[in-house]
Amino acid sequence: MSKEIPLWEVFIRSKNGLEHRHCGSLHAEDAEMALNNARDVYTRRNEGVSIWVVESKHITASNPQDSGELFEPAADKVYRHPTFYELPDELKHM
Amino acid sequence: MKPIRELNPQFLESKENKQHLIDYLLGVADNYLILAQRLGELCGHGPNLEPDIAITNISLDLLGQVRSFYQYISQIKGDGSTEDDIAFLRKEREYRSVLLVQQPNTDFAYVIARQFFFDVFNKMFLNALQQSADETLRALAFKGIKEASYHERFSGDWLKRLGDGTEESHDKAQKAVNDLWVFTDELFQVNESDSAMIDAGVAPDMLQLREYYYEKVENLLTEATLEVPEVPYFQKGGKNGLHSEYMGYILAEMQYMQRTYPNSKW
Amino acid sequence: MSEAEIKSLEAQFEAKIANDEKIEPKDWMPEKYRKTHIRQISQHAHSEIVGMLPEGNWITRAPSLRRKAALLAKVQDEAGHGLYLYSACETLGISREELYNQLHTGAAKYSSIFNYPTLTWADMGAIGWLVDGAAIINQVPLCSTSYGPYARAMVRVCKEESFHQRQGYEIMLSLCNGTEEQKQMAQDALNRWWWPSLMMLGPEDKDSVHTEQSMKWKLKRKTNDELRQQFIDQTVPQADILGLTIPDPELKWNEEKGGYDFGPIDWDEFWQVVKGHGPMNKKRLDDRRNAWEKGKWVRDAAMAYAQKQNERKNKQAI
């Protein structure tokens, strides 16, 4: 058998209340082992309270060549940000 | 399992009780020491990086456990001897480790089978030890049980992979299981100190859990498509200081520095 | 793509790096950038896992339980660092298995310092203090290198590495505060590891082929000679605290340059070791190959089991 061992992406929640964040990848033959390995590799110093693993091949990524049409149109929509709106100074909190 | 009762404060004033407790604790802790040492040999030589890291973690957990137990022993002894004196400066016959943990890292299947046989026992043991009449032991058990549960999961999962993997791995796993099976019963051996500690409520009576142990182990072996070996006779001796021939070499290596440079600080 | 288009892409690419922007795996990159990074990152990863062996040699003989645990944890960290770096390398389109293959066939290099033997317990101290010390000098600047996955791996590595050097120095300190025999053991280890540690920072600038390009891509922020000077200047006072003597009769403080002058390095020895003639080259590679080959049936078993489990699951679903 010469099939290569699948690659997994690891996401760790460092404490409750925070989101899972990508922290790296590793190899494992199955999901159970990927979880165990992630625990042993990425939480040796108390880094996590919860782990997600997903096989890398299941991730669909946007293409950098498309980043112009994907992300630049958002840049000029200034009205989406609170600072766009001018309000009198007397109004303290809004 | 007996309900928790607190140890009579005068209990350790009896010299005999004290010696029994020390012997009993050595019988527990020496297993951790020798197994940690065996696993330590593997660091850097695993079948891949991930299992290499995982096995080192187990070794580190066991080392942590043994240090706590030895520190407790040195506290009971109260003669100024340290955890390292206990770990490194005894003679071979004074160690109380069972034969199972002394067995060599013949191949990955032996490493996993040895670990699994030990982990199932250790988890049951620490679970029961949480009911000990001795407060320190309860605390040690409470801390250790989480690690032991993870170990059992790790070695059990791997045994299934090896047993139910390829034909080659199945054969290797079966061979390891067959060879190591004869050492499992010694885990339940009760010596005089054990009996004294069971009577005092310090130690759990593991013999009562023996059936449950074999049931658990056999279930997993079946799931791993492995046959449960039948042996006419179980090997024992380590717990009473009658070790395998491997033991001398393990100690020669482990004690080398302490023996070559006595009375030094490191 | 026409040549002009490539030129323009290249110009944009270089501008991005000059601007301190990171390059990510799916971004366009010149082939040479990809190749250079595969070479450097994998070399770094190989060094981590070959580096486990000389220290692993003393795990079973560590003189106290505390030292044993610390050493185990340290060697384990090196496996972790190898893993992070291999993963970073894999984002460049090469598999870990291919990278191992390059190591096992001798096509890829690793840090030549690991081709020296660890003869006494003091070597654990000297390696932590000197070898990790030199490594840190090399590695800290890489936390801001241009290739994103490499930079992120290095941040993690540097964070974890911080205990390694202290661990080594503490071992040396205990020896130097110990018996005369222990102190001699420490001095002997320093004598043997000092020069290889200096060599570890790479050939002199005048003989170094990669430096200019590497600087541009932020694979390097300082030249080998600068790094070496920095290493010597920070290590000599540390040796003084230990009461040990650096084995270089020409070592002398130079007020004018604000650093130490030092004696000539035996570059012939360095190149011999790089070429495979060091005392431990063969053993190190044999050990790596052995672990991998002996592990094959284990990896195959796990793959076969995963496949069976999948099939069972699918059958259940139907």
Side-chain angles (χ1 to χ4, degrees):
Chain A
M1 211 177 316
S2 65
K3 251 177 72 186
E4 292 199 350
I5 306 169
L7 188 68
W8 300 73
E9 300 303 321
V10 180
F11 300 81
I12 302 233
R13 186 204 293 287
S14 57
K15 62 175 193 193
N16 275 3
L18 297 179
E19 69 275 58
H20 285 77
R21 282 185 66 174
H22 183 244
C23 71
S25 40
L26 48 76
H27 287 274
E29 285 84 350
D30 56 51
E32 183 70 14
M33 187 156 30
L35 264 187
N36 285 355
N37 289 346
R39 177 260 191 196
D40 284 320
V41 173
Y42 288 106
T43 66
R44 297 199 302 284
R45 289 175 168 81
N46 270 321
E47 291 99 332
V49 296
S50 161
I51 302 174
W52 289 346
V53 290
V54 57
E55 219 183 310
S56 310
K57 70 175 184 201
H58 295 314
I59 291 183
T60 312
S62 66
N63 199 325
Q65 270 128 37
D66 301 335
S67 58
E69 59 187 76
L70 286 178
F71 308 118
E72 275 167 34
D76 64 354
K77 309 293 193 292
V78 281
Y79 43 79
R80 287 203 171 105
H81 300 278
T83 45
F84 177 72
Y85 302 94
E86 285 180 30
L87 297 177
D89 290 346
E90 302 93 271
L91 196 68
K92 286 271 162 26
H93 303 289
M94 182 174 280
Chain B
M1 206 183 304
K2 292 185 187 177
I4 294 186
R5 55 178 153 108
E6 286 302 325
L7 208 52
N8 180 341
Q10 274 88 51
F11 182 75
L12 284 179
E13 281 172 20
S14 140
K15 230 175 147 184
E16 201 189 344
N17 285 345
K18 208 163 134 176
Q19 195 49 51
H20 278 319
L21 179 56
I22 291 170
D23 274 349
Y24 171 70
L25 293 175
L26 288 174
V28 174
D30 286 352
N31 288 337
Y32 296 147
L33 177 71
I34 302 302
L35 191 52
Q37 177 78 357
R38 275 293 191 215
L39 295 175
E41 293 170 16
L42 294 165
C43 184
H45 305 277
N48 210 343
L49 283 174
E50 289 85 353
D52 201 312
I53 292 170
I55 284 178
T56 305
N57 262 351
I58 297 177
S59 182
L60 281 168
D61 286 344
L62 295 172
L63 264 180
Q65 282 286 320
V66 77
R67 291 185 65 189
S68 307
F69 273 89
Y70 285 169
Q71 281 161 14
Y72 185 38
I73 294 174
S74 74
Q75 186 193 321
I76 297 167
K77 281 176 118 177
D79 61 357
S81 59
T82 65
E83 57 172 47
D84 288 329
D85 296 338
I86 300 169
F88 296 102
L89 294 180
R90 276 178 291 156
K91 311 233 166 32
E92 178 172 336
R93 295 288 307 274
E94 293 165 346
Y95 285 83
R96 293 279 167 265
S97 48
V98 293
L99 298 173
L100 176 69
V101 295
Q102 305 169 21
Q103 300 307 306
N105 304 318
T106 308
D107 65 21
F108 194 72
Y110 280 79
V111 173
I112 291 300
R114 181 184 65 201
Q115 194 63 38
F116 179 67
F117 290 158
F118 183 76
D119 290 342
V120 174
F121 172 84
N122 192 34
K123 185 179 162 189
M124 282 168 38
F125 164 71
L126 290 172
N127 203 22
L129 191 66
Q130 292 183 69
Q131 309 286 311
S132 170
D134 183 290
E135 195 189 348
T136 308
L137 289 183
R138 286 202 297 275
L140 286 181
F142 182 72
K143 179 178 176 289
I145 186 75
K146 292 165 205 153
E147 296 171 350
S149 305
Y150 184 78
H151 300 169
E152 188 202 70
R153 177 168 136 189
F154 174 86
S155 57
D157 280 355
W158 264 108
L159 196 55
K160 283 191 270 179
R161 288 189 190 102
L162 299 182
D164 193 14
T166 63
E167 214 181 302
E168 184 186 8
S169 71
H170 175 88
D171 293 349
K172 287 192 144 100
Q174 186 68 59
K175 185 167 184 318
V177 164
N178 291 350
D179 283 356
L180 295 172
W181 190 257
V182 291
F183 302 115
T184 50
D185 193 53
E186 193 191 1
L187 290 164
F188 296 92
Q189 199 194 344
V190 177
N191 61 21
E192 200 195 329
S193 298
D194 295 341
S195 295
M197 288 305 111
I198 292 170
D199 289 345
V202 170
D205 184 358
M206 292 305 289
L207 262 181
Q208 287 189 25
L209 295 170
R210 189 171 171 276
E211 207 175 310
Y212 178 49
Y213 171 86
Y214 280 107
E215 191 186 309
K216 245 181 122 172
V217 169
E218 288 172 18
N219 281 344
L220 192 123
L221 288 182
T222 308
E223 208 185 322
T225 73
L226 293 167
E227 272 172 41
V228 179
E230 276 181 43
V231 295
Y233 189 74
F234 285 102
Q235 295 293 331
K236 51 191 73 163
K239 207 169 168 186
N240 290 325
L242 293 166
H243 296 288
S244 63
E245 287 187 350
Y246 301 117
M247 189 66 171
Y249 292 93
I250 295 175
L251 294 181
E253 203 171 334
M254 195 174 75
Q255 298 184 340
Y256 163 65
M257 291 297 293
Q258 291 270 346
R259 297 291 186 196
T260 314
Y261 306 93
N263 305 317
S264 306
K265 285 206 168 61
W266 302 100
Chain C
M1 237 183 289
S2 75
E3 216 164 283
E5 276 171 322
I6 292 181
K7 273 261 165 342
S8 126
L9 275 173
E10 265 174 12
Q12 282 174 34
F13 178 84
E14 298 293 350
K16 225 166 136 180
I17 293 183
N19 209 15
D20 262 339
E21 281 179 54
K22 297 280 184 232
I23 307 301
E24 293 296 343
K26 291 189 88 178
D27 291 343
W28 183 88
M29 62 185 79
E31 200 44 34
K32 195 173 165 210
Y33 181 89
R34 182 188 305 276
K35 286 217 169 100
T36 305
H37 275 76
I38 289 178
R39 195 186 61 232
Q40 170 155 341
I41 301 171
S42 67
Q43 206 166 312
H44 196 161
H46 298 328
S47 300
E48 294 282 356
I49 62 162
V50 176
M52 295 171 75
L53 299 169
E55 289 175 287
N57 185 36
W58 277 89
I59 288 171
T60 56
R61 290 178 291 171
S64 72
L65 294 178
R66 177 176 179 266
R67 291 284 178 220
K68 194 189 283 286
L71 184 62
L72 252 180
K74 190 199 165 195
V75 180
Q76 182 196 42
D77 270 352
E78 281 155 14
H81 298 170
L83 193 152
Y84 309 153
L85 290 162
Y86 283 124
S87 300
C89 206
E90 283 179 86
T91 62
L92 291 163
I94 184 163
S95 71
R96 191 195 289 179
E97 218 167 320
E98 284 172 82
L99 293 168
Y100 273 166
N101 196 39
Q102 291 178 357
L103 172 68
H104 297 158
T105 56
K109 297 269 176 271
Y110 56 88
S111 185
S112 62
I113 193 133
F114 301 120
N115 292 316
Y116 291 88
T118 50
L119 303 179
T120 71
W121 170 251
D123 290 16
M124 299 305 100
I127 288 181
W129 172 36
L130 301 172
V131 178
D132 290 313
I136 292 169
I137 284 185
N138 239 332
Q139 288 173 352
V140 169
L142 287 173
C143 294
S144 56
T145 188
S146 66
Y147 188 54
Y150 191 25
R152 288 191 288 274
M154 288 317 298
V155 169
R156 196 168 262 279
V157 168
C158 288
K159 212 165 96 191
E160 298 187 351
E161 194 107 326
S162 57
F163 98 80
H164 294 183
Q165 197 190 10
R166 294 172 71 107
Q167 181 258 168
Y169 194 75
E170 198 199 71
I171 290 175
M172 293 306 262
L173 206 57
S174 300
L175 294 173
C176 292
N177 290 332
T179 63
E180 193 46 43
E181 216 178 358
Q182 283 177 301
K183 194 164 180 184
Q184 273 172 23
M185 196 195 288
Q187 180 66 56
D188 169 63
L190 170 58
N191 293 350
R192 283 181 288 112
W193 291 95
W194 173 253
W195 293 106
S197 299
L198 296 191
M199 295 175 199
M200 185 185 157
L201 293 158
E204 289 178 12
D205 294 349
K206 62 181 171 55
D207 302 318
S208 180
V209 253
H210 305 303
T211 298
E212 200 191 329
Q213 180 73 83
S214 298
M215 291 274 197
K216 219 163 74 185
W217 288 340
K218 299 177 182 168
L219 273 171
K220 238 178 177 347
R221 313 307 288 259
K222 287 179 180 174
T223 71
N224 294 349
D225 288 340
E226 286 167 342
L227 292 172
R228 197 164 8 250
Q229 188 66 51
Q230 184 188 338
F231 174 72
I232 293 171
D233 292 345
Q234 82 176 38
T235 308
V236 174
Q238 294 167 354
D240 289 343
I241 294 175
L242 293 171
L244 295 176
T245 311
I246 303 274
D248 178 357
E250 293 177 47
L251 190 80
K252 214 175 79 201
W253 178 254
N254 181 330
E255 192 60 52
E256 208 175 306
K257 81 171 179 187
Y260 284 89
D261 289 332
F262 51 97
I265 294 172
D266 183 356
W267 290 110
D268 184 46
E269 178 183 316
F270 173 77
W271 290 114
Q272 289 303 330
V273 177
V274 169
K275 279 183 207 147
H277 308 306
M280 297 302 282
N281 290 62
K282 182 168 182 309
K283 173 85 163 69
R284 299 285 184 245
L285 270 191
D286 282 350
D287 279 353
R288 284 313 321 159
R289 271 196 290 258
N290 240 328
W292 185 244
E293 281 161 20
K294 277 194 188 148
K296 183 173 186 304
W297 69 269
V298 178
R299 300 188 300 273
D300 287 349
M303 285 292 274
Y305 179 79
Q307 203 178 344
K308 282 186 202 174
Q309 289 293 90
N310 251 337
E311 281 161 14
R312 279 173 207 145
K313 225 187 276 169
N314 290 342
K315 243 187 222 155
Q316 264 174 10
I318 300 165

